[in-house]
Amino acid sequence: MKMVTGGAYQGKLDFVCSHFGMEQVDITNGSTCDFEEVFSAKCIKSYHRLIARLIAQGIDCVQFTERLCSENKDAVIILDEIGCGIIPSEKSERKRREVTGKCGCIIARASDEVIRVTCGIPMYIKKKIN
């Protein structure tokens, strides 16, 4: 598994397409996909939005993410960093940020590589050394 993170609109998807050779057909959109689709997807973009959808459906996001890491070990997961900046005043938004952070930690732990992309520039946070 590989995780690509960074702020919104920082070039994460372009990096994934060029670095990992992904094409549009390989990429599942967490904003709109069927939940079961992610367990066989090559790449999942907007995983943070998938988490928001899971929360809205009352699905345990941590358990879902652990299952994803167990069943789809070759996936590339693109997850926006959403924990920086002003703390939301709404409790539900704070909860969403907390759960997204927990899920990000699960994915990072399961990943061979964790890459943060800022301004289109990749920074390797974790890299498997052969």
Side-chain angles (χ1 to χ4, degrees):
M1 182 168 279
K2 293 168 182 32
M3 176 181 175
V4 179
T5 190
Y9 310 107
Q10 292 297 309
K12 295 180 298 296
L13 184 57
D14 288 342
F15 168 78
V16 165
C17 289
S18 64
H19 187 73
F20 297 112
M22 297 285 173
E23 297 180 18
Q24 283 303 117
V25 70
D26 299 322
I27 301 167
T28 298
N29 188 341
S31 298
T32 58
C33 69
D34 180 86
F35 294 149
E36 291 298 311
E37 215 177 308
V38 300
F39 299 109
S40 60
K42 286 185 180 181
C43 177
I44 305 157
K45 74 174 186 176
S46 300
Y47 194 77
H48 60 289
R49 291 196 173 132
L50 177 66
I51 291 169
R53 292 175 54 223
L54 292 168
I55 291 169
Q57 293 294 316
I59 297 170
D60 184 325
C61 299
V62 169
Q63 188 175 37
F64 185 93
T65 300
E66 288 171 343
R67 178 180 166 206
L68 171 66
C69 293
S70 172
E71 292 184 20
N72 195 353
K73 296 177 192 266
D74 294 325
V76 176
I77 311 295
I78 303 171
L79 172 73
D80 277 13
E81 288 179 354
I82 63 167
C84 301
I86 298 170
I87 298 170
S89 59
E90 290 185 39
K91 184 176 182 175
S92 62
E93 283 300 303
R94 291 192 307 270
K95 180 69 174 169
R96 182 180 65 87
R97 280 174 50 156
E98 178 185 342
V99 170
T100 301
K102 286 179 182 180
C103 292
C105 290
I106 292 165
I107 295 167
R109 202 169 24 255
S111 294
D112 295 329
E113 294 182 0
V114 178
I115 305 156
R116 183 169 192 263
V117 177
T118 302
C119 298
I121 300 169
M123 296 172 280
Y124 286 79
I125 297 171
K126 178 180 177 183
K127 184 162 175 90
K128 184 177 182 179
I129 299 172
N130 295 333

